Amino acid sequence: MSPPPREAPLVALLPDDPLDGELLAEVRPPEWVNPPPARRYNLVVIGGGTAGLVAATGAAALGAKVALVEKELLGGDCLNVGCVPSKAILRSAAFYADVHHAARFAGAAPPAGEPDFGAAMERMRRLRAQLGRDDSARRLRDRGIDVFFGAAAFVDRRRVAVGNATLAFDKALIATGSRAARPDIEGIEAAGYLTNETVFNLTARPRRLLVVGGGPLGCELAQAFCRLGCAVTIASHEPYFLPGEERDAAEILAHALRRDGVDVRLNTDVKSVAVVAGEKRARLVNYDQDVTVAVDEILAGAGRVPHVEGLNLEAAGVDYDPLQGVRVNDFLQTTSRRIYAAGDVALDRKYTHAADATARLVVHNALFLGRKKLSSLIIPWCTYTDPEIAHVGIYVRDAHDQGFPMKTFTVPMSDVDRAVLDGEPEGFVKIHVKDGTDTILGATIVARHAGDMINEISLAMVAGIGLKTLAQVIHCYPTQAAAIRQAGDAYNRSRLTPLLKTISRRWLAWARRGR
Ligand SMILES: Cc1cc2nc3c(=O)[nH]c(=O)nc-3n(C[C@H](O)[C@H](O)[C@H](O)COP(=O)(O)OP(=O)(O)OC[C@H]3O[C@@H](n4cnc5c(N)ncnc54)[C@H](O)[C@@H]3O)c2cc1C
């Protein structure tokens, strides 16, 4: 039987084991008593996820009187039900994938037996509890932050209520994040399904798993669960995974999932789910194909919706849309001038580092009369499948749509020695520059460590370093990141006009004659 799909508080959803007890002792201490409210706060932060924690600690470090209100668990999605547990599981899954290919790397037969799913989940819970110490309620209190547990709601444009307390503020930050969208599939509520809020509670491997949705969450977890020994089917109504990413990147991903043994079904609608003889039967329709798959669990990755309900935003004059979230201007100010928003609740791109960056921007703008703009931030992102798919800046199709002249330099990973030696030749580094210059406008990297590699491109874009200069950066040999320098070399070669080549040839011929 699946755990409840959502709305139940996360605290209640955690399995009752000592490791989760350790986590709760940090991020929701059972004995916690909310402090008496101060007369007025410089900043009241609603939501103790990445955005809220970064803003609260940043503001307090600068001397602000700060209150932080968290409804469920400090650390929010990233720590409890997002990046941290998913990346811990991905690591175990990658280990099993390497073991599976023991013959390729070491000429040895793979060890007999199935991956230890329970051990992978226990490792995840142990590491999550360990990282939970960074988001500890006591640590925040030691930094001078008043931490309140409970659901916050605005009383008016200057006050927030939590339980019986009223918190008066000069500035407030809405950092309430997002949650899994309900899948629109007939019968799925009755059948029961998992989301990111419940999937990490599994302690035993589901023998067969259907993943609905081909976004980052669906793709990452489909691959990980397959590598951990589940028979996984992934269904997406889109023709490609990761809609929005470059098509050739998505094709490599589909191939990688198939190679791992995932049953990939693109252009496929999950029409209905029913429980028959104790198993979930899902009807999948792809054009004229209509098949039923029987599974033990269904994981829904149907997108994210912002957390805007229950905040009484109307009383504070804050405009919002139930699907798009809180409306902000380029300074992250809402329609109520003292109230700001950051992170998933206000952003299209829902990533931890985006939540972090926007929280910093709010501290600067709200408390120190800053004028930093959201539109000036260069935010990369990465899907942590194997290979990883990372992107920053402009896409080819955007440039085409806008009639923007752009040149692209591509290096296949099969041309990169380290990728070949590592047995990871799939993928590419693709860097776009403004035509006629070496100004980098964007890049997509598909490689085992693309998420690390993209940071070099982001750095170049932030610092205004061109592709020509990246070609001059000496990269350690052999590294996969050397692909970036190779793209720089390709750029330099493209600048060798026939005239320059002729001059160079003549110069060298003259030099050969001897003096
Ligand atoms: C499975 C999964 C994997 C992910 N992996 C990655 C990854 O690898 N890298 C990456 O960059 N991003 C990843 N993300 C996205 C990342 O988790 C989010 O972008 C990030 O957590 C957003 O931070 P936030 O502070 O905006 O919101 P949240 O982390 O959602 O925090 C919001 C907090 O507000 C609280 N809250 C809500 N309403 C109220 C209220 N009325 N009163 C008080 N508190 C309230 C919530 O309880 C919550 O704790 C992943 C997400 C998922 C689901």
Side-chain angles (χ1 to χ4, degrees), residues 278-366:
E279 60 183 18
K280 294 174 191 181
R281 302 221 177 135
R283 201 180 131 224
L284 311 186
V285 177
N286 165 312
Y287 302 113
D288 52 349
Q289 263 192 341
D290 194 330
V291 294
T292 298
V293 294
V295 293
D296 305 297
E297 291 289 2
I298 297 171
L299 170 63
R304 312 283 303 164
V305 286
H307 251 146
V308 285
E309 65 290 339
L311 286 164
N312 200 17
L313 294 173
E314 295 77 5
V318 173
D319 261 14
Y320 68 96
D321 177 281
L323 295 179
Q324 307 298 319
V326 172
R327 290 213 176 89
V328 287
N329 63 19
D330 209 13
F331 304 104
L332 291 174
Q333 202 169 26
T334 69
T335 45
S336 191
R337 69 182 182 86
R338 291 178 178 278
I339 303 174
Y340 290 72
D344 280 13
V345 75
L347 302 178
D348 288 344
R349 297 282 176 189
K350 300 193 191 314
Y351 297 102
T352 291
H353 48 279
D356 179 310
T358 51
R360 287 166 199 259
L361 192 146
V362 166
V363 170
H364 185 80
N365 287 356

Side-chain angles (χ1 to χ4, degrees), residues 10 20 60 86 109 120 128 161 187 231 255 304 463 491 501:
L10 288 178
D20 284 335
S86 62
R128 181 170 62 175
H255 172 73
R304 312 283 303 164
Y491 167 80
K501 273 189 200 156

Side-chain angles (χ1 to χ4, degrees), residues 46-52 69-78 81-83 86-87 150-153 175-178 196 200 217 220-221 304 307 309-311 342-345 350-353 355 382 384:
I46 306 178
T50 302
V69 190
E70 170 51 52
K71 187 164 74 161
E72 297 180 346
L73 305 178
L74 290 169
D77 273 15
C78 179
V81 291
C83 334
S86 62
K87 268 74 240 177
T176 48
S178 63
N196 70 295
F200 301 113
L217 180 152
E220 286 180 7
L221 292 184
R304 312 283 303 164
H307 251 146
E309 65 290 339
L311 286 164
D344 280 13
V345 75
K350 300 193 191 314
Y351 297 102
T352 291
H353 48 279
C382 183
Y384 296 92

Side-chain angles (χ1 to χ4, degrees), residues 213-216 219 234-255 257-258 264-268 287 389 397:
C219 292
I234 182 168
S236 168
H237 60 262
E238 301 281 349
Y240 295 95
F241 288 127
L242 307 182
E245 294 302 340
E246 305 281 6
R247 194 168 281 193
D248 40 5
E251 277 169 359
I252 291 174
L253 175 56
H255 172 73
L257 292 183
R258 283 195 190 99
V264 170
R265 291 170 183 266
L266 293 163
N267 287 313
T268 299
Y287 302 113
I389 297 183
R397 65 172 173 281

Side-chain angles (χ1 to χ4, degrees), residues 55-68:
T57 50
L62 292 166
K65 185 70 193 154
V66 179
L68 174 69

